[in-house]
Amino acid sequence: MLIAHDLGTTGNKASLHHDDGRLVTSVTVPYSARFATGGIAEQDPADWWDAVVSATRQLIARAGIAPETVGGLVVSGQMMGTVLLDAHGEPVRPAIIWADTRSGVQTRSLEERLGAADAYRVLGHRLNPTYSIEKIMWVRDNEPDVWARVRHFCVAKDYIVYRLTGRLATERSDASGTNAYDQLRGTWSAEVLAAAGLDAAIFPEILESTTVAGTLTTESADALGLPASVRVVMGGGDGPLAAVGSGIVAPEDGAYVCLGTSSWISFASLAPLHDPQMRTMTFDNVVPGSFVPTATMQAGGASVQWIAEALSPDPSHPDTARLTAEAGDDVDTEDLYFLPYLLGERSPLWDPQARGAFVGLGRHHTRAHLTRAVLEGVAYNLLTCIQAFRESGAAIDRIDAVGGGAQSDAWLGILADVWGVPIRRRTIVEEANSLGAAVTGAVGLGLADFSAARALSEVTAEFTPDAGRHAVHAHRHARFVDAYTALEPWFAAAPSAEEH
């Protein structure tokens, strides 16, 4: 059997699988993140490790299996973060996660030295404060005492693989999300590292996602309650792995949307997809030799979580399902819009200073209107991303939905009407990332190939767009875009992260 861990923003979603990838059971162990003014977003790597240990033991107990039946372990993780380690492999500070936007000064420095368009062609991504290399530069420039102790850099999943095996490495999907990786050469970019003023020695070796990094150390085996013979496969970043978990392993498999804390639309491709306006990005895929063009917004599911917490009597136990159900088709927002930029924005705006806003709020609006506006705001933002893909030559005529938000009929109905394409819910909702990791692990262990992912989930519901509502949403989408355009100078005039 095989265990997969998915280190998300809110917790570790772990799952136990048969050798062919079929799901046996799953468990989620939550942990906290620190969000603060000035664009701060951090987590303690020790919390990730504790969650991996706890989830592993819970899976074994829940399934009632002998630990000796587990032969492999694989890890998925949140991307674009920064874990800095000392000479002994110990974190020198909290991890800076993907949502952190403090490194505006460092981003502008790279733009001046590299050129934004030239960097995009090399990296497949825009230069932006949400990426790893900009965060590393920020620590160097702002925390000299901490920086003096730094000897290694990695991301969340790599840190756990290191704790498991003692081997510090990364693989192509996560490397491609650092803004330090030359996507065409498949190596760390000497040009980018020189512009950043960083020593290549702190960056880990790059492996394939299916590489067996090693077996469990005696210490990690004891902590997890597993045999030391368990083999650990590198795995990958949560975005590319969610594609595999959704059955998207080749271009003919279509597109999918992940409605998690951050939300994204993606599909498989045989080459990077470069948008002339640089609204979208391309990651290396965990499937060797392929890529995953992606458009990721900062606060998709996070916006829904926020409004549910804000409108619930007990914010620690928000009734998200009831609130989203109340915001169904019979609710008309009546020209109320929500800009879902609670954490700044990546795709399609790439504006770390953008902020959330209700626009057009009236005395008559109720909590159902507010919730509906949030659901529509995420849909409108992602519609701009879909349009960017189409303008770059991608054909998107159907989208499969995974992630926690995919459990909401109301939201999937809104997405279908706004985007004008059928939206299909798959049986794998919360476990798409860990299922993708499990398939990648099975491939790495020689137990399966990636095509097996197509049979591991099924479509359970399809939401067909209503032509009349789609026409209305086309007009409202334009109004939504206008609202951000009108507020952009106001956002830009606010105190920046580096001024706090």
Side-chain angles (χ1 to χ4, degrees), residues 258-272:
C258 181
L259 300 172
T261 304
S262 65
S263 295
W264 62 83
I265 293 176
S266 185
F267 50 91
S269 173
L270 297 180

Side-chain angles (χ1 to χ4, degrees), residues 203-230:
F203 288 80
E205 64 175 323
I206 302 172
L207 307 173
E208 295 295 339
S209 304
T210 53
T211 301
V212 176
T215 56
L216 296 179
T217 65
T218 301
E219 181 181 10
S220 65
D222 289 345
L224 271 61
L226 292 175
S229 59
V230 170

Side-chain angles (χ1 to χ4, degrees), residues 373-398:
V374 171
L375 297 173
E376 289 183 353
V378 176
Y380 291 145
N381 195 68
L382 291 173
L383 175 58
T384 307
C385 298
I386 293 171
Q387 292 172 341
F389 282 137
R390 288 172 172 162
E391 291 166 15
S392 299
I396 298 178
D397 53 14
R398 184 196 73 220

